[in-house]
Every structure is written in C-alpha cells, then in structure tokens.
Amino acid sequence: MQKYSAFELFKNSVSHHENWPRMWENPVPKKKYDIIIIGGGGHGLATAYYLAKEHGITNIAVLEKGHLGSGNICRNTTIVRSNYLWDESAHLYEHAMKLWEGLSQDLNYNVMFSQRGVYHLCHTLQDIRDNERLTYANRLNGVDNEMVDAEQLQREIPLLDCSDKTRFPILGASVQRRAGNARHDAVAWGYARGAAMRGVDLIQNCEVTDMVIENNTIVGVKTKQHGVIKADRVGCVTAGHSGVMAKMAGFELPVESHPLQALVSEPIKPVLDTVVMSNHVHGYMSQSNKGDLVIGAGIDSYLGYGQRGSYSIIEHTVQAIVEMFPEVSRVRMNRQWGGIVDTTPDACPIISATPVKGLFFNCGWGTGGFKATPGSGHVFAATLAQGKAHELAEPFSIERFHNGALIDEHGAAAVAH
Amino acid sequence: MLCIFCPHCGEYREEEEFSARGQAHIKRPEDPEACSDEEWGNYMFFRKNPKGLHHELWVHSAGCGKFFNMTRDTVSYEIKETYKIGEQPSVVAAEK
C-alpha cells in the first residue's frame, strides 16, 4: 500500500486527486485466524495494528458489526490527557500520551494531534486542594501538570469568565500543557489503514451473535453474515456492548452501559485555543479546527443502549457552558448525539483475561476511552500476543472486583469523567 | 425526557425530579462474614446490564424523597411500570 508523502501529494495533484488508492479492502473472511478482534472501533483497530506491527502476528481479523469507527470513536469530544491521580492509571494514560506524541509519524497518517493544553477549573477551596494534590501526584509520576491562578487563567483564556460576578467564581485551574485533542475519525482510519497494510483482515458488517466455546476454551465466534469463524484467541473490544458479549460467553462483567452525549455548535471564528473543563459546574468545551464549539458533560444516570441522551442533561450542560463562557450564550447548537459508554464501579477500564481460556476483554473505559486509544491498543495487543497481561494492564484485571484492589479514580482525581 | 409515575405520590412527574439508583432487588447477603471474596464482590460490584427489560431502583429526590422500583426498556426507554419497594414486578423479561 502507498506511503503518504509530500511527493505523493504532488504526484496525485496532477490527476486532480482522483487516483488515490483505497486505504483498505473488504476481504471475505477466512475459516480460521490466529486472533479475532471483536469490534472495529478505535481500540480494536489499534489492537490489530500493534499486534501486526510489534508482535508480527498478521493472521488477524477485526469483526465490526457496522462500518469501521462507527461507535464511540466517532462520538467522543476528542480530548486527550493523562493527568490521572493514581499510579496505575497515570502510567497507563501516560503510556498512551507518549504514543500520541509520535502517532501521526508512526501511522504515516495525520491524526491532527494538537497539544493545546487541558484546563481543569477550580471553583472552590476544595477544588484547589484536589487539583494541587493531582498536580503533585502527576509530577511524581512524570506527568506534566501545573496550577495557574485566576489572574493568569484570564490572561491565557480571554473567553473564560474569571470575574467574581459568577455563581461559582473561578479561583484557579490545573493545566496539563501536553494534553490536547486529536481528530477522532482520523485515529480510526489511520489505525485501520496501518493494520490493513500489514495484512489484517478488516471485516465490516459482520455481527458476532455467539461465542463458540469448547472445554471452557474459546475456539471461534459465530457471526450473522459469515457463519462460524475459528480463532485461537479472541479479544473483545466492544465498549458499550461488552456486557452483551460477556453474556454470550457465559459470565458477567461489572460494567453498566450508560448514554453519554455531546453537542457541537455552528462554526464560528476562533475564540478558544485550548480545552476547558469544569467538574464543579460540570461541562467542558473546546473548539474544533472547523470552528464549532465541542461541548460535553456527564452521563445519563440510568442504563441505556439507545445512543441518545436525556434532554435534561443537555440543559444542565449548556447552563454550565454559559456560566463559564457567557459570550457564547447566543451561539446556536448544530448537532447533538449520544454514545453508549461502559462504566465500571471504579471508573477504570478492564483489560483482562476472562474465565474462558483464550478470551480476553478490553472494556469499561467509560467516558474516557478516546484519550487512551493508542495505549489501550498497545497493551491489549501485548496481552493477546503473550496470552497474559501486559505489565501496565495487570492492575486492570477483572479480578480486582473480587480481591478488592480497586483503582478508585472516580471521585479522587477531581476530573470530569 | 422521561415522564415517570411516582407510585407514592400517585402522579406523573418529569424525569428531572428523579434520580436513578441502579439495579433493583439486590439482596444483601444474609451473613456477610461468611461470604467468600467472590460472593461479596458479586454483591458489591456485579450488576445486570441488560439490553432490553431492566428493573431499576429510582428515588423521587426532588419530590416525596421516597424510593421505588421501575421496569424499563433500556433500548426504547419505554417505562413499563413503577411499583413500590417490597412489591414484585408484573412485567418481566422472558427467561432464555
């Protein structure tokens, strides 16, 4: 497959860019693979990519029930950061951050990763204390983070209302300057292209309806469109539907699926060159390269598979945004959508072997999966290749819900999950 | 916006008055000290996550403040029934 370069760009401009080759084909699945990955989203495609690239395993199929990158990878608000409080999660997300920093070069595909900084606003004394603790914890783990006071914050983000006239005046913020955002679709496409280039079969419109298990060992999966496809190992990376997949394999997961929604405004001129989140008034906003304001907030509190959210959540979200950025109060919203996120009791992912031999799960990323895409794929690829957990994935075993070694990231990190 | 019938107030009210509190009908083990780690972990953390009918615990937090149960479809979000704590649901999913 073709390598992208300035020269290729020039060459194709001569033919009006009409002769670029396909980035991947639509192969007919083989009868048997070494590894099957269920779920062709960001994490699944990244897993396939690193399996092929770093572990030399190319007899892999990625089975996707819809089209590639049609789930949460195209529904999130594209924020990337690694300022997590606890060691286990800080190491995992920082691992991802390091991969992000070289990702466009590695994939030979521009994922438009922009380290524009992410601010966590503090509105109370407790917020300040929590964020200072977070800052110091991060620095001890080699993750950059710093505190700024309200005056400096106002200088850095003119759009933000840092006056004392608001209902919850802003006292300061912690900022991770290496954080930022990336073009989410490009991440899926870049990984898909990279995987396909190395011989991975990307099978779209192929829904897994059952697992084929013999003697408590996985031997393949049953699909709606292509019958049984055999495999030595199966990795399940199906986000919101992980609970449904686990049920097929005959065990339960400690995940609950909730709708999480986001909205974007009409495109406006550049007003915000960074990402601002507030846990206290509960909303966050950035501006995309197109100019739309990208806005998100919390999950719906009830279970839902509907890929749509509740209107009351939108109202609260917009209230929070207007509280922080009064100037955008008359900007019209363009689109609103929802994704299904699989949340765990401790808000940390599950990257783990399961009671079924040869079957591995990578799920439970909840509301923060996008930022981890490269790291998640990287450690899950190693886990699948070796048949045992990668060093960074070890603490995220499903066993923690029985032995009590939870990674309590939920409230402690003082971040908008 | 869900429109929810509070069985205590006997009225339909808007979703914003209520809070969802997860799966209903979870029984605390009779003798916690005698539980294995697995039993206790299952009780603490493992919840049903059905794509379809689900029985949930809700509280009318900005209303009467009382807890009640709800049977709801998690795909269509249709509320089949609400009933008081201690009562059993009349709409149940067919066992596979």
Side-chain angles (χ1 to χ4, degrees):
Chain A
M1 217 170 284
Q2 191 172 21
K3 191 168 158 52
Y4 295 150
S5 64
F7 175 68
E8 286 291 333
L9 197 61
F10 171 74
K11 204 174 84 181
N12 278 279
S13 71
V14 178
S15 56
H16 305 283
H17 296 292
E18 284 174 359
N19 295 320
W20 287 100
R22 281 176 165 275
M23 295 206 291
W24 54 81
E25 302 297 329
N26 279 315
V28 176
K30 292 184 238 173
K31 290 275 167 257
K32 187 176 181 304
Y33 289 93
D34 291 344
I35 296 176
I36 283 179
I37 293 158
I38 307 172
H43 290 218
L45 293 167
T47 306
Y49 172 78
Y50 290 114
L51 270 171
K53 179 170 174 261
E54 309 227 322
H55 304 279
I57 304 170
T58 54
N59 188 22
I60 307 173
V62 177
L63 308 183
E64 165 57 45
K65 76 170 170 180
H67 59 266
L68 295 179
S70 57
N72 293 342
I73 187 79
C74 74
R75 293 166 194 271
N76 60 72
T77 46
T78 77
I79 298 166
V80 174
R81 58 185 177 84
S82 62
N83 52 352
Y84 278 69
L85 179 68
W86 298 108
D87 294 354
E88 296 86 349
S89 35
H91 291 156
L92 183 62
Y93 288 98
E94 181 60 17
H95 181 59
M97 180 63 87
K98 294 212 170 94
L99 290 167
W100 276 114
E101 287 175 329
L103 194 60
S104 292
Q105 284 74 23
D106 185 37
L107 291 176
N108 180 229
Y109 197 91
N110 188 3
V111 298
M112 295 163 83
F113 180 51
S114 158
Q115 292 179 298
R116 56 183 62 189
V118 171
Y119 293 81
H120 291 300
L121 301 185
C122 307
H123 300 260
T124 65
L125 200 53
Q126 189 59 46
D127 278 352
I128 294 271
R129 288 182 188 129
D130 288 344
N131 275 274
E132 279 180 345
R133 180 185 180 206
L134 176 66
T135 305
Y136 293 132
N138 282 165
R139 287 192 191 171
L140 288 172
N141 275 323
V143 179
D144 72 305
N145 204 347
E146 62 186 271
M147 294 295 293
V148 292
D149 61 17
E151 210 175 304
Q152 190 185 343
L153 192 61
Q154 187 69 85
R155 273 202 303 276
E156 291 183 9
I157 314 172
L159 189 70
L160 189 65
D161 184 1
C162 296
S163 70
D164 54 6
K165 303 281 188 291
T166 56
R167 187 170 174 205
F168 299 108
I170 296 163
L171 305 178
S174 68
V175 49
Q176 185 182 20
R177 299 202 187 273
R178 278 164 69 237
N181 55 16
R183 166 106 169 82
H184 52 191
D185 296 313
V187 177
W189 299 333
Y191 274 123
R193 173 173 169 266
M197 243 167 145
R198 288 169 175 81
V200 174
D201 282 356
L202 308 176
I203 320 283
Q204 306 187 63
N205 297 312
C206 179
E207 185 176 350
V208 172
T209 54
D210 207 357
M211 308 256 182
V212 186
I213 297 166
E214 286 168 13
N215 298 328
N216 202 32
T217 306
I218 192 107
V219 292
V221 296
K222 198 183 278 176
T223 66
K224 202 187 238 171
Q225 290 82 358
H226 300 286
V228 172
I229 306 174
K230 292 196 164 177
D232 295 333
R233 280 181 193 151
V234 173
C236 187
V237 201
T238 50
H241 279 80
S242 298
V244 179
M245 304 309 290
K247 213 170 175 187
M248 288 176 193
F251 59 91
E252 300 262 335
L253 285 176
V255 298
E256 290 189 297
S257 300
H258 292 269
L260 173 69
Q261 49 190 335
L263 48 161
V264 295
S265 75
E266 58 191 354
I268 56 174
K269 286 191 174 177
V271 289
L272 185 64
D273 62 355
T274 184
V275 183
V276 180
M277 29 177 60
S278 165
N279 203 27
H280 197 76
V281 298
H282 215 177
Y284 56 89
M285 186 164 93
S286 62
Q287 190 172 22
S288 77
N289 293 347
K290 271 190 300 186
D292 0 358
L293 300 173
V294 184
I295 294 167
I299 55 172
D300 284 12
S301 57
Y302 48 78
L303 286 195
Y305 285 89
Q307 290 196 329
R308 63 186 180 278
S310 167
Y311 287 111
S312 53
I313 298 277
I314 303 176
E315 196 179 345
H316 288 304
T317 307
V318 172
Q319 277 169 3
I321 295 302
V322 172
E323 158 96 12
M324 291 190 280
F325 306 100
E327 280 170 62
V328 303
S329 66
R330 289 165 69 195
V331 173
R332 284 170 298 186
M333 290 301 139
N334 207 358
R335 287 178 296 126
Q336 171 271 343
W337 66 93
I340 312 168
V341 297
D342 44 336
T343 57
T344 57
D346 60 355
C348 278
I350 297 167
I351 310 169
S352 179
T354 64
V356 178
K357 220 175 150 211
L359 177 63
F360 295 81
F361 265 70
N362 181 359
C363 63
W365 290 91
T367 60
F370 175 69
K371 65 175 82 71
T373 306
S376 161
H378 194 263
V379 300
F380 196 50
T383 304
L384 278 171
Q386 291 150 13
K388 69 177 177 68
H390 181 275
E391 179 193 4
L392 289 173
E394 258 171 44
F396 297 93
S397 159
I398 196 169
E399 283 165 20
R400 72 179 190 270
F401 299 100
H402 286 137
N403 65 21
L406 300 187
I407 305 155
D408 186 16
E409 201 64 57
H410 223 9
V415 289
H417 268 291
Chain B
M1 178 85 73
L2 300 178
C3 197
I4 299 171
F5 183 82
C6 173
H8 300 288
C9 300
E11 274 185 45
Y12 281 97
R13 305 306 288 260
E14 284 184 353
E15 172 189 337
E16 275 200 286
E17 288 190 15
F18 299 87
S19 311
R21 289 293 161 84
Q23 187 186 329
H25 304 292
I26 297 171
K27 197 176 165 218
R28 186 180 161 89
E30 296 278 347
D31 184 5
E33 298 295 324
C35 279
S36 67
D37 285 353
E38 196 169 348
E39 284 165 348
W40 187 250
N42 287 347
Y43 161 68
M44 287 289 283
F45 301 120
F46 286 68
R47 298 289 176 260
K48 291 207 174 87
N49 191 23
K51 191 175 181 180
L53 276 191
H54 190 38
H55 306 292
E56 308 174 306
L57 185 65
W58 284 70
V59 57
H60 194 178
S61 42
C64 63
K66 288 179 186 163
F67 283 83
F68 62 93
N69 294 328
M70 179 192 292
T71 306
R72 191 175 58 89
D73 190 305
T74 59
V75 181
S76 69
Y77 297 174
E78 187 192 345
I79 298 169
K80 305 286 186 188
E81 59 174 345
T82 55
Y83 53 99
K84 290 179 184 167
I85 300 288
E87 295 174 359
Q88 290 302 311
S90 59
V91 184
V92 289
E95 284 293 321
K96 273 186 194 162

